[in-house]
Amino acid sequence: MLYESANAKINLFLDVTGRRPDGYHTLHSCMQTVGLSDTVSAEILPPKDGRSIRLTCSDSALPCDEKNLAWRAAALFMDETDTVYDLRLHIDKRIPLSAGLGGGSADAAAVLRLLNKNLDKPLSEERLCAIGARLGADVPFCITGGTCRCEGIGDILEPVKTRPDYTVLVAKDGEGVSTPEAFSLLDAKYGNFSDYRSHDTAAIYAALAGGDVRALADCVYNIFEDVILPIRPKARELKEFMEAHGAVCTLMSGSGPSVFGIYTSDARAEVCAATLRQKGIFAVACRTT
Ligand code: C5P
């Protein structure tokens, strides 16, 4: 059996710079992979009766057919490499669904990486990212990982220099958020972004390069907080809980409703995570990776 880790992402910074005629939004985002992950496992077998992809998942809420991004990633990989296999894929799911943590994108990226690695690397990372971009705006970042400045619709990536990793507490409570609906709420608020002035980003990259977690705390930003926190009060409560219990800052990730807190003490993050889990809330303390 072959295994690949599918790490969640958080957005340390997320602003919208415009809206394209096709409805997609141009972004400026600073994305960061974290230790919270799904595991994708695979068997690559010779074909019996033409191409076949069988997907199973530990979470029965997820579709296991072509509606699943991981399934589509496997199909696209075979199309692009002109290969035919009998693929058995399994996703061991730990990243919450519809949470703004990029779980579906991470699984699709892990499938592409796993197949490429174990089939003698027919595709460069650049090609893998181009295939990933056809699956979803966050997939190229999930292929690259680490810390990246992301522009375009999230598909133009530039790795960012960072000093040592730090601890984040990632938590999610309450109903998920649909990304297209979250973007529609932003459009309604900002008039399709015709006059919107996006935020300056120099300070966040300086803080990351200097490894200064407290300076980083002063410049994290997510435009979606304005429209999602009012309709997901549990996300706001999680932020308030973390701020009262040692987080140097908190922010919603992606289009929410997950939130993360940055901690300078691993022990405090662990205690907070345990307290939230006792209340039945999803919470994991992990490192940035
Ligand atoms: O690319 P992905 O399938 O993850 O995007 C889901 C939806 O989010 C898109 O259909 C679009 O409505 C919205 N979106 C957007 N601008 C982006 C990324 C996503 O409007 N940059």
Side-chain angles (χ1 to χ4, degrees):
M1 190 71 86
L2 307 164
Y3 295 93
E4 187 75 19
S5 177
N7 290 70
K9 61 85 182 162
I10 55 172
N11 301 79
L12 296 169
F13 186 91
L14 175 52
D15 202 5
V16 173
T17 53
R19 186 173 186 271
R20 301 195 315 194
D22 66 359
Y24 264 80
H25 295 75
T26 51
L27 309 171
H28 182 137
S29 172
C30 177
M31 306 234 257
Q32 171 68 60
T33 39
V34 295
L36 166 65
S37 63
D38 296 340
T39 304
V40 171
S41 49
E43 281 181 281
I44 306 174
L45 305 171
K48 276 202 199 105
D49 219 356
R51 170 198 289 193
S52 131
I53 302 168
R54 277 177 255 187
L55 173 66
T56 53
C57 183
S58 61
D59 185 337
S60 60
L62 272 184
C64 287
D65 54 14
E66 68 281 355
K67 289 198 266 319
N68 191 307
L69 225 47
W71 193 102
R72 294 219 293 275
L76 257 184
F77 184 89
M78 288 195 275
D79 288 345
E80 291 293 313
T81 53
D82 211 7
T83 51
V84 179
Y85 293 103
D86 176 6
L87 296 179
R88 316 266 168 104
L89 303 170
H90 179 76
I91 304 172
D92 198 5
K93 200 77 202 152
R94 284 178 293 268
I95 306 172
L97 311 183
S98 302
L101 296 168
S105 303
D107 296 341
V111 165
L112 292 175
R113 273 200 316 263
L114 181 149
L115 294 177
N116 203 44
K117 204 158 59 181
N118 291 285
L119 293 169
D120 293 330
K121 296 199 176 165
L123 303 177
S124 64
E125 183 164 309
E126 206 180 349
R127 279 275 309 280
L128 274 190
C129 286
I131 295 173
R134 288 160 57 189
L135 294 164
D138 288 345
V139 180
F141 170 73
C142 292
I143 290 169
T144 307
T147 316
C148 282
R149 180 187 176 117
C150 307
E151 287 176 282
I153 59 165
D155 56 333
I156 301 172
L157 306 177
E158 188 191 321
V160 167
K161 279 208 186 88
T162 53
R163 292 282 194 88
D165 48 357
Y166 45 89
T167 295
V168 290
L169 167 53
V170 181
K172 189 228 165 195
D173 192 16
E175 204 188 326
V177 170
S178 133
T179 307
E181 279 168 30
F183 274 105
S184 312
L185 290 173
L186 285 184
D187 285 338
K189 176 162 182 173
Y190 293 104
N192 289 329
F193 292 90
S194 43
D195 294 321
Y196 182 72
R197 281 174 64 103
S198 47
H199 291 64
D200 185 34
T201 55
I204 192 155
Y205 297 109
L208 284 168
D212 185 341
V213 170
R214 287 185 190 279
L216 178 63
D218 288 337
C219 30
V220 297
Y221 173 74
N222 183 347
I223 188 173
F224 284 102
E225 283 199 338
D226 270 0
V227 292
I228 300 298
L229 292 180
I231 58 168
R232 290 291 183 276
K234 287 183 174 171
R236 194 190 292 281
E237 283 166 26
L238 278 177
K239 280 171 65 86
E240 286 165 1
F241 176 85
M242 290 184 203
E243 278 157 20
H245 293 86
V248 289
C249 70
T250 64
L251 192 71
M252 204 176 75
S253 182
S255 53
S258 65
V259 301
F260 65 89
I262 297 180
Y263 284 75
T264 50
S265 154
D266 290 2
R268 290 198 84 175
E270 288 290 355
V271 169
C272 277
T275 309
L276 290 172
R277 285 195 295 265
Q278 273 165 11
K279 298 179 188 181
I281 296 169
F282 174 88
V284 171
C286 54
R287 302 288 283 177
T288 55
T289 56

